Amino acid sequence: MVLNRRERSLEHACFHEVIKYLKRGDVLVFNDTKVIPARFLGQKPTGAKVEVLLVKPKDSAWEYWEAMVRPGKRFKSGDEVVIDDETSISVLDRLSGGMRLVRIKGEDTPYNIIEKKGKVPLPPYIRGNGRASKHYQTVYARVDGSVAAPTAGFHFTEELLDKLRSCGIELAYVTLHVGPGTFRPVKVDDVRKHEMHCEDYHISSDTAERINKAKKEGRRIIAVGTTVVRCLESSSDEEGFVLFGKGNTDLFIFPGYKFKVVDGMVTNFHLPKSTLLMLVSAFAGYDFVMEAYKVAIERRYRFYSFGDAMLII
């Protein structure tokens, strides 16, 4: 579905036709984060089954992690999760937001343990599907660190990326490691009181220079996914120029937000009460987005991670 904000018009197309809605000189910005097999299933010494989801590394060796544990209420500092005869995860401390500080222990390096023994943390509505685990990654993913994929990028193939380049579309990449908080529904009446999970990002000097050059020349910056929107908007100054380097963001974008960098967006169809839908509504206008979603439901557009796409220009 293609939404034109200025004309408040709506069109239907196949995603490979996205090129006809883009202009030579547009900069498409992608999130090149890579989903890691961060989910571990184990048991306590008592035999009780438990799950550990690694969320954010606390050291460069990936030995210590901020993590979610289930069932969380039964865990206290010092508890041990046995993964197998060689591997365990120790719960060291309780952190804010229901998180825990954990340590990976085993005969191999923590990185290798994660790669060999962890599972891809697929969304709960995808059950027992090995094929889905294989495809829960963008074709341009290269920087390990996410527990969820930037799913707007699923629509791009290598062939389409090559075609975009040949048509004079610039491709740029940022890295924002997606955490589980991105998909946490808003449960408070006052959205300003909703707390976003803080996520780490990195923007190279080359990417920042290319985006800023395009902004100066009046060319469009089109974000592929809400994670790219949050990354760019978090890293920019008041004039909309992007600053390079590492940082972290808990930016929550909802209607009323004034966008500084992004001129267009590729995104999926999101669920009610999600921060993702609020961001899209802030960008395209709440009423317009609700009209579009009504049409999407009538025409049986697909929602969720492997669903259909929306281009907002």
Side-chain angles (χ1 to χ4, degrees):
M1 183 182 288
V2 182
L3 273 61
N4 187 306
R5 293 191 295 165
R6 182 179 300 170
E7 299 176 1
R8 287 184 67 87
S9 63
L10 184 155
E11 295 182 47
H12 305 282
C14 292
F15 195 78
H16 65 84
E17 299 174 296
V18 68
I19 291 174
K20 74 179 185 180
Y21 298 97
L22 303 177
K23 302 175 183 177
R24 188 176 189 85
D26 282 347
V27 180
L28 271 180
V29 186
F30 300 85
N31 183 3
D32 65 4
T33 188
K34 188 175 183 180
V35 180
I36 60 172
R39 182 170 174 256
F40 285 84
L41 302 176
Q43 60 184 33
K44 297 177 73 172
T46 60
K49 293 183 179 180
V50 294
E51 176 183 338
V52 178
L53 178 65
L54 305 177
V55 174
K56 182 186 293 187
K58 305 300 285 185
D59 67 321
S60 59
W62 282 22
E63 182 178 359
Y64 296 89
W65 285 79
E66 185 177 313
M68 298 171 65
V69 293
R70 296 190 183 95
K73 292 182 179 179
R74 300 179 185 176
F75 277 89
K76 59 182 183 295
S77 298
D79 281 352
E80 198 86 4
V81 179
V82 178
I83 306 303
D84 57 30
D85 292 339
E86 301 174 347
T87 310
S88 65
I89 296 176
S90 297
V91 178
L92 303 180
D93 199 4
R94 182 187 293 268
L95 306 176
S96 62
M99 307 296 283
R100 301 291 196 280
L101 177 65
V102 303
R103 180 189 180 193
I104 299 174
K105 299 193 296 185
E107 297 181 2
D108 208 339
T109 65
Y111 182 88
N112 287 341
I113 288 173
I114 294 169
E115 286 293 314
K116 294 175 182 177
K117 300 182 180 182
K119 298 181 182 296
V120 173
L122 290 172
Y125 51 84
I126 300 174
R127 300 185 184 278
N129 194 327
R131 183 170 176 269
S133 296
K134 180 181 178 182
H135 291 283
Y136 193 65
Q137 204 82 264
T138 62
V139 297
Y140 47 81
R142 60 185 178 186
V143 184
D144 289 319
S146 279
V147 299
T151 54
F154 285 174
H155 304 284
F156 292 87
T157 63
E158 294 287 3
E159 293 77 11
L160 181 55
L161 293 174
D162 289 340
K163 192 172 182 180
L164 288 165
R165 293 188 192 97
S166 69
C167 291
I169 310 299
E170 281 194 49
L171 310 185
Y173 298 88
V174 299
T175 304
L176 183 142
H177 294 314
V178 188
T182 298
F183 307 100
R184 189 177 67 178
V186 176
K187 296 182 178 180
V188 292
D189 293 332
D190 185 348
V191 296
R192 294 170 298 181
K193 295 181 180 180
H194 177 79
E195 293 185 10
M196 293 285 287
H197 184 84
C198 196
E199 296 166 319
D200 295 334
Y201 69 81
H202 176 250
I203 300 175
S204 69
S205 58
D206 175 67
T207 291
E209 288 172 9
R210 292 168 65 187
I211 291 173
N212 292 338
K213 184 174 185 291
K215 294 293 288 185
K216 290 177 182 177
E217 295 174 355
R219 293 185 280 124
R220 298 187 300 182
I221 309 301
I222 299 176
V224 178
T226 57
T227 61
V228 173
V229 175
R230 292 179 62 244
C231 180
L232 295 181
E233 294 293 322
S234 297
S235 64
S236 66
D237 61 22
E238 289 302 314
E239 295 181 352
F241 293 108
V242 173
L243 309 175
F244 72 89
K246 294 182 178 180
N248 56 71
T249 179
D250 59 358
L251 177 63
F252 177 21
I253 297 176
F254 52 87
Y257 178 84
K258 303 299 182 184
F259 290 84
K260 305 185 293 290
V261 183
V262 177
D263 304 300
M265 184 193 316
V266 177
T267 188
N268 284 16
F269 286 89
H270 307 295
L271 297 184
K273 299 182 180 180
S274 67
T275 61
L276 309 175
L277 181 54
M278 291 184 184
L279 185 153
V280 173
S281 298
F283 187 70
Y286 175 81
D287 291 339
F288 187 30
V289 169
M290 290 302 102
E291 291 172 15
Y293 268 57
K294 183 178 179 181
V295 174
I297 292 168
E298 291 171 352
R299 295 182 65 120
R300 302 185 68 82
Y301 271 72
R302 293 169 296 179
F303 284 52
Y304 295 107
S305 295
F306 292 107
D308 293 312
M310 174 183 284
L311 170 66
I312 307 172
I313 52 176

